[in-house]
Amino acid sequence: MMRNIARLRGRLAERSVKLRPHLKTPKSIEVARRVMDGPAGPATVSTLQEAEQFAAGGVRDILYGVGVVPSKLDRVSALRQQGIDLSVVVDNVDAARAVAEQSRRTNDRIPTLIEIDSDGHRAGVRPDDTVNLLAIGNTLHDGGAELRGVMTHAGESYACRSIEEIVAIAERERAAAVGCATVLRAAGLPAPVVSVGSTPTAHFAGDLTGVTEVRAGVFVFFDLVMAGLDVCTVDDIAVSVLATVIGHQAAKGWILVDAGWMAMSRDRGTASQRIDQSYGVVCSVDGVPYPDLIMVQANQEQGIIAVRSGSGASLPHLPIGSLVRILPNHACATAAQHAHYELIRTGSREIAAQWPRFQGW
Amino acid sequence: MMRNIARLRGRLAERSVKLRPHLKTPKSIEVARRVMDGPAGPATVSTLQEAEQFAAGGVRDILYGVGVVPSKLDRVSALRQQGIDLSVVVDNVDAARAVAEQSRRTNDRIPTLIEIDSDGHRAGVRPDDTVNLLAIGNTLHDGGAELRGVMTHAGESYACRSIEEIVAIAERERAAAVGCATVLRAAGLPAPVVSVGSTPTAHFAGDLTGVTEVRAGVFVFFDLVMAGLDVCTVDDIAVSVLATVIGHQAAKGWILVDAGWMAMSRDRGTASQRIDQSYGVVCSVDGVPYPDLIMVQANQEQGIIAVRSGSGASLPHLPIGSLVRILPNHACATAAQHAHYELIRTGSREIAAQWPRFQGW
C-alpha cells in the first residue's frame, strides 16, 4: 500500500498537481492519514457519512463528489458550521438553485464544483453544452454560493484495452474540464479549481496543464481490474481476503473455502477483460499466486476454487484447514464487505494492527 | 414479510415438517423472532458470528450450516458450554475426525450432520458414495461426536426454468437425504435428523416423506430472482432500497439516483433468467413498480435508471429530489450492504422501527 501511494504521489508531485485522494475505497482514517498530504486533507468522499466520519478524524478539506440534492444540504451545512471546508458538486440548475438558497439561508457561501461529463459515463454537463454550464454557474455565483470550479471523472477509463487508450481518455478528461473552466472564466465567473481523475488516468495522463488537482481512490490497494488494465501488476495488490479450506470435490477438481461472495463481493469486474479472474486469484498465505488458481464460483459463505479452464495447471495440495489469500476483482467492493482491515507488514504473517472501516450513509 | 413467513410456515405445518429458517438472510434478531417457532429457535446460520449473535439474542437451537474446520471448533465449544444446542456440518473424514477429537477433549458430544451433495452444486458427499458416507459416520459416532443425521441444500433450484423443474429437484433433494439417512441407519448408525431445503424447493416440494426439517432463508423477503423463478410475485418482495433522484441525462433517457452498487450489491442474479432486471426494479416510494423501469448501471454511489431497452415504456417524470424504491435481485446480498432495516407497515410511509443487522465473521 505504501509503495502504491508513493508511486502516485511522486508522479503528481513531478507535475505540481495536488492529489485529492478518494477515500471511498479505504473508508478508514488510518489509511486516509497515509495517503493524504497531511492529517487535514485534502480528500474526496462519496457519501456524507464518509464526510462526517473523516471530519471527526480531523480531515478539514473535503469534496463530496456525488451530485448533491436539497435533502442533504442541512448535513452539508452542519459540517461546514464545524469549520470543515466541505465542497459539493452539482450538474443541473435545480440543484444549483438549492445550494444557492441554502447558502443565503445559512449565510455561508457553500463551495460548489460543476460536474462535467467528459466521457458519457454517468452524471455531468456535456462539455459542449455551454448554455447549461453557464446557467448553472450563474445560478450558483449570482445566487450566493461559491462557484469553486469544475470536476470530472473519466469512468470509461476502466473499460480501456490498452495504455494508449487510457492516455487518450486522460487527455479527453483534462480537455473537457479545462475547457469548461475556461468558458466559465470567459463569462466572468470564478473557476479556481479544475479537478479530474480516476485511477487509470491519474497514472497515465501525459499532460495535466490547467488541472489543479487529481482524484483517485482504488490505487491505494489496486486490484485485479487495475492489473488487467496494466495500471499495476498483480504483485502491487495490497488487499486480500484470508480464507480456510473447508472441503474438496476431487472428481470436479474443486477446493471449497469459507469465503464466498459475502467476503469477496459479487463484483465481476474482470469478466469483460482479456483475462476473466472470476471471483479472484488464489494465493498462498504469503501472497504468492498459485498458477491459474481462481475462485470459480461464490455462494454466500462458500467459495469454489479451481484451476482456470484450459490452463493445464494442476491443483495444489491444500488439505482441510489450509489458509489461502484471495485477491479481489475490485478493492472498493471487497473491502466494503468487511468491518476492519488486518494490517500485515511485507514479509510477515503477523497482524500488526486492526484498522476499522465504516459503512452506511 | 409477515405474509411470506405465514405462507411457508403454513405449507410445512400441513406436512408436519419443522421449519429451521436460515438466518443468514436477515441477520437480525427482530426478523429472526418473527420467523422462528419461538424465541429459542430452531435456526440455521452460515457463520459462527451469526451463531454468537443469535445466541446472545436468546436462540438456543442453531445449526451452523457450512462445513466446519478444526480452527473453528473452539468457538463451537464455547457456545455449547453456554448451553446452546449448536450443531455442525462435515462432508469429509478429516473434519469428522477433528470434531470427534474436540468432542472427546471437551467431554461434549458435538452434534454433527453429514452434508450430502444432492445436485452437484457445491459441498457434500455424493449420495451414491456410501463408502465415504459410512466412513464419516463411523468416524463421528465411534470417535465420540453425536451423529445427528444428514443435511443437503438443492442449490441448483435457483437455476430452474419452471416449477416442474423445481418439483423435480426437490424430490432429488429429498431422495438423496432420506437415502443417505437410510444407509447410515442400516449400518447401525443414528440419523434422527433429515434436513433439506432451499427457498424454491421448500415452496414446491410435492412430497417430504422422511424429511424432519426444512431450511430456507430468502423467502422472508423474497427478491427478483425468486420472482423470476415464479416462487413469488414482485408484489411479495418485502425489502427495497430507498433512493433519491440526483440528476438526469435527458439525451440518453437516464435518471441518476444516489444508490449504486454499495446500496444494491453487485449481485446480478437475474442476468441468467428470462427477464434480466439488471440492478433492480424501480418503484414509486409506495412500492408500485414503474413500467419497465430498471437500474441499468451501478457505480459505487450512483445508479443509472432507464426504461428497459425495447419495452417502449416512457420515462416517468421524477425531478431532482424525488424518492424511489428499488427492488433487489438478491435480498441476502442487498441487505448485507446495510447496517439496519427501516421497518414500514403496509400502506404507510412512516418508519415504525429501526432493526439492526450484524455483519462479519
Side-chain angles (χ1 to χ4, degrees):
Chain A
M1 182 185 82
M2 296 311 295
R3 192 174 70 198
N4 297 339
I5 292 170
R7 176 180 163 200
L8 185 59
R9 291 192 66 84
R11 182 171 210 278
L12 297 180
E14 282 168 19
R15 287 159 179 79
S16 304
V17 173
K18 187 162 68 174
L19 174 65
R20 181 181 288 278
H22 207 318
L23 303 183
K24 74 182 173 72
T25 304
K27 292 204 184 201
S28 151
I29 189 70
E30 293 289 349
V31 177
R33 287 183 183 141
R34 284 161 175 83
V35 67
M36 297 184 301
D37 283 351
T44 312
V45 299
S46 66
T47 66
L48 287 176
Q49 155 83 350
E50 290 164 50
E52 290 158 354
Q53 291 278 340
F54 286 117
V59 185
R60 316 288 294 173
D61 175 1
I62 303 175
L63 169 64
Y64 169 40
V66 174
V68 77
V69 286
S71 59
K72 292 180 182 160
L73 288 170
D74 284 345
R75 283 172 78 186
V76 169
S77 292
L79 279 167
R80 291 190 50 77
Q81 279 155 25
Q82 292 169 34
I84 307 301
D85 181 15
L86 178 66
S87 49
V88 301
V89 165
V90 299
D91 75 347
N92 60 83
V93 170
D94 287 348
R97 195 176 294 127
V99 173
E101 280 169 15
Q102 180 83 358
S103 295
R104 293 197 304 273
R105 189 167 58 247
T106 58
N107 199 23
D108 167 39
R109 295 168 68 85
I110 300 172
T112 309
L113 303 185
I114 302 177
E115 183 167 7
I116 309 301
D117 176 21
S118 58
D119 61 4
H121 186 70
R122 57 184 195 194
V125 178
R126 284 208 326 273
D128 59 355
D129 189 356
T130 52
V131 173
N132 195 18
L133 177 69
L134 290 173
I136 297 168
N138 283 314
T139 301
L140 290 166
H141 185 67
D142 300 345
E146 177 196 333
L147 178 55
R148 192 170 274 186
V150 298
M151 65 89 82
T152 192
H153 165 66
E156 285 302 306
S157 65
Y158 283 60
C160 287
R161 296 270 159 171
S162 67
I163 298 299
E164 291 67 34
E165 279 187 51
I166 296 175
V167 171
I169 283 192
E171 173 53 22
R172 192 163 69 177
E173 182 183 45
R174 185 200 71 82
V178 172
C180 288
T182 304
V183 167
L184 291 171
R185 290 171 192 149
L189 291 166
V193 171
V194 178
S195 178
V196 304
S198 73
T199 285
T201 56
H203 286 75
F204 290 100
D207 174 26
L208 287 169
T209 306
V211 168
T212 66
E213 64 180 34
V214 165
R215 307 181 321 281
V218 79
F219 75 97
V220 292
F221 297 143
F222 281 133
D223 53 27
L224 293 169
V225 166
M226 288 299 133
L229 285 169
D230 292 328
V231 172
C232 68
T233 67
V234 168
D235 188 51
D236 292 327
I237 300 174
V239 71
S240 64
V241 171
L242 186 65
T244 303
V245 172
I246 62 169
H248 303 84
Q249 294 287 29
K252 294 177 173 167
W254 286 359
I255 298 172
L256 286 95
V257 295
D258 65 352
W261 58 253
M262 187 68 88
M264 299 307 301
S265 90
R266 271 288 194 199
D267 197 286
R268 290 281 293 100
T270 56
S272 55
Q273 293 190 325
R274 277 185 300 259
I275 300 177
D276 181 349
Q277 305 286 19
S278 196
Y279 284 97
V281 164
V282 184
C283 303
S284 72
V285 69
D286 294 314
V288 180
Y290 291 106
D292 286 302
L293 194 66
I294 57 176
M295 183 182 284
V296 294
Q297 289 181 44
N299 298 305
Q300 185 159 341
E301 295 291 353
Q302 290 182 335
I304 298 174
I305 284 172
V307 158
R308 187 189 312 277
S309 178
S311 69
S314 56
L315 206 61
H317 177 63
L318 288 167
I320 303 287
S322 303
L323 295 174
V324 292
R325 288 195 176 279
I326 305 159
L327 303 178
N329 282 313
H330 187 174
C332 304
T334 300
Q337 302 298 106
H338 299 265
H340 64 264
Y341 301 97
E342 295 190 336
L343 174 70
I344 50 176
R345 299 195 192 282
T346 303
S348 165
R349 287 185 186 183
E350 215 173 301
I351 296 167
Q354 259 198 9
W355 288 349
R357 277 181 57 94
F358 44 81
Q359 62 166 192
W361 291 268
Chain B
M1 182 184 83
M2 295 311 294
R3 192 173 70 198
N4 297 340
I5 292 170
R7 175 180 164 200
L8 185 58
R9 292 192 65 85
R11 182 171 210 276
L12 296 179
E14 281 168 17
R15 288 159 178 80
S16 304
V17 172
K18 188 163 67 175
L19 174 65
R20 181 181 289 278
H22 207 318
L23 303 182
K24 74 182 173 70
T25 304
K27 293 207 184 199
S28 150
I29 189 70
E30 292 289 348
V31 176
R33 286 183 184 140
R34 285 160 174 84
V35 67
M36 298 185 298
D37 285 351
T44 312
V45 299
S46 67
T47 64
L48 287 175
Q49 154 82 351
E50 291 166 51
E52 289 158 355
Q53 292 278 341
F54 286 118
V59 185
R60 315 289 293 174
D61 175 1
I62 303 175
L63 169 63
Y64 169 41
V66 174
V68 76
V69 285
S71 59
K72 292 180 181 160
L73 288 169
D74 284 346
R75 282 173 78 186
V76 169
S77 293
L79 278 168
R80 291 190 50 77
Q81 279 156 25
Q82 291 170 33
I84 307 300
D85 181 15
L86 178 66
S87 48
V88 300
V89 165
V90 300
D91 76 346
N92 61 83
V93 169
D94 287 347
R97 194 176 293 126
V99 174
E101 279 169 15
Q102 180 84 356
S103 295
R104 292 198 305 275
R105 187 166 61 246
T106 58
N107 199 24
D108 167 38
R109 293 168 70 83
I110 299 172
T112 309
L113 303 185
I114 302 176
E115 183 167 8
I116 310 301
D117 176 21
S118 59
D119 62 2
H121 186 70
R122 56 183 194 196
V125 178
R126 284 208 327 273
D128 59 355
D129 189 357
T130 52
V131 172
N132 195 18
L133 177 70
L134 290 171
I136 298 167
N138 283 315
T139 301
L140 290 166
H141 185 66
D142 300 346
E146 177 196 331
L147 177 56
R148 192 170 273 185
V150 297
M151 65 90 80
T152 191
H153 166 66
E156 285 301 307
S157 65
Y158 283 60
C160 286
R161 295 270 159 171
S162 67
I163 298 299
E164 292 66 35
E165 277 188 52
I166 295 174
V167 171
I169 282 191
E171 174 53 21
R172 192 164 67 177
E173 182 183 45
R174 185 200 71 82
V178 172
C180 288
T182 305
V183 168
L184 291 170
R185 289 170 192 149
L189 290 166
V193 171
V194 178
S195 179
V196 304
S198 72
T199 284
T201 57
H203 286 75
F204 290 100
D207 175 26
L208 288 168
T209 306
V211 168
T212 66
E213 65 179 36
V214 165
R215 306 181 323 281
V218 79
F219 75 98
V220 294
F221 297 143
F222 280 132
D223 54 26
L224 294 169
V225 166
M226 289 297 133
L229 286 170
D230 292 327
V231 173
C232 69
T233 67
V234 167
D235 188 51
D236 292 325
I237 300 173
V239 72
S240 64
V241 171
L242 186 65
T244 302
V245 172
I246 63 170
H248 303 83
Q249 293 288 29
K252 293 177 174 169
W254 286 359
I255 298 172
L256 286 96
V257 294
D258 64 352
W261 58 253
M262 187 67 89
M264 298 307 301
S265 90
R266 272 285 195 201
D267 197 285
R268 291 279 294 102
T270 57
S272 55
Q273 294 190 323
R274 276 184 302 259
I275 300 176
D276 182 348
Q277 306 286 18
S278 197
Y279 285 97
V281 164
V282 183
C283 304
S284 72
V285 70
D286 294 315
V288 180
Y290 291 106
D292 287 303
L293 194 66
I294 57 178
M295 183 183 283
V296 294
Q297 288 182 45
N299 299 304
Q300 185 159 338
E301 297 290 352
Q302 290 183 335
I304 298 175
I305 284 172
V307 159
R308 187 189 310 280
S309 178
S311 69
S314 55
L315 206 61
H317 177 63
L318 289 168
I320 302 288
S322 303
L323 295 174
V324 293
R325 289 196 175 279
I326 305 159
L327 303 177
N329 281 314
H330 187 175
C332 305
T334 300
Q337 303 298 106
H338 299 266
H340 63 265
Y341 301 97
E342 295 192 335
L343 175 70
I344 50 175
R345 300 195 192 282
T346 304
S348 165
R349 286 185 187 182
E350 216 172 299
I351 295 167
Q354 258 198 11
W355 288 349
R357 276 181 56 95
F358 43 81
Q359 63 166 192
W361 291 267

